Amino acid sequence: MKLDRIDIKILYELQKNGRVTNVELAELVNLSPSPCLMRVKKLQSEGYIEGYSAQINVSKLGQTLTVFTEITLKNHRQIDFARFLAAIEKVDQVIECHLVSGGYDYLLKFVTAGIDEYQTIMERLTDMDVGIDKYFSFVVLKSPIVKAHMPLTTLFPH
């Protein structure tokens, strides 16, 4: 499926508000409701839209700690990366994991109940011998900008 400018605009609007009605969405993308709905269904069936979810205000539930962690592995064979990822996938508090270029191998984002929980997780991971050589932790003090949507219309200007 080849996407056009309208498809990108539909995706852009849906990622900002997944609960928008079809009539409202059609208006936002300058289509009539019927063709708009057909496009949304096609985008879903083709896998461009993977699902819909609620954005939870976690701070309303209680205090959390966000930590970005740089991790360097001892060895860099495929089996070493696979062993590390298998262990990390089981840690619920890891909400992002990125293989990166530069001075370390992975950048992880943790959200934990506090520093004690984070340190317990890191101690457990280093004790498990999953190939971690060293790690550096960066505790988030404040997050003045966090966006839940991508700038699709500028990334893919069709």
Side-chain angles (χ1 to χ4, degrees):
M1 175 179 177
K2 183 88 169 119
L3 300 187
D4 64 15
R5 180 181 50 79
I6 295 172
D7 294 320
I8 299 294
K9 183 82 166 133
I10 288 171
L11 293 173
Y12 177 73
E13 293 299 338
L14 283 175
Q15 73 173 349
K16 290 195 319 185
N17 181 5
R19 294 184 64 161
V20 66
T21 67
N22 183 58
V23 172
E24 292 168 327
L25 180 61
E27 198 171 292
L28 288 168
V29 300
N30 297 318
L31 280 179
S32 57
S34 183
C36 183
L37 185 58
M38 287 172 46
R39 282 179 181 250
V40 170
K41 287 182 189 269
K42 181 98 169 138
L43 289 165
Q44 289 172 339
S45 69
E46 294 287 328
Y48 290 98
I49 299 171
E50 294 182 336
Y52 298 88
S53 63
Q55 294 175 8
I56 308 301
N57 183 347
V58 179
S59 65
K60 286 254 195 210
L61 298 172
Q63 188 125 10
T64 62
L65 178 75
T66 300
V67 182
F68 285 95
T69 306
E70 297 174 353
I71 293 183
T72 303
L73 299 183
K74 292 175 190 156
N75 298 300
H76 295 92
R77 300 167 303 188
Q78 280 304 120
I79 193 164
D80 300 308
F81 289 109
R83 185 178 63 214
F84 173 76
L85 285 176
I88 289 300
E89 283 176 345
K90 294 180 183 131
V91 180
D92 283 343
Q93 294 85 345
V94 174
I95 62 166
E96 291 182 23
C97 175
H98 306 275
L99 178 63
V100 295
S101 64
Y104 53 96
D105 298 312
Y106 286 97
L107 178 64
L108 277 61
K109 182 178 181 182
F110 288 83
V111 176
T112 66
I115 197 70
D116 290 341
E117 182 184 26
Y118 171 74
Q119 194 56 42
T120 299
I121 292 166
M122 291 310 299
E123 287 169 0
R124 192 177 76 236
L125 285 170
T126 52
D127 288 348
M128 285 172 62
D129 193 31
V130 294
I132 296 174
D133 182 30
K134 60 186 175 210
Y135 69 92
F136 295 97
S137 307
F138 302 89
V139 174
V140 174
L141 303 176
K142 191 185 269 189
S143 299
I145 299 173
V146 177
K147 295 180 181 177
H149 63 277
M150 302 268 186
L152 297 180
T153 53
T154 54
L155 289 172
F156 309 100
H158 290 87

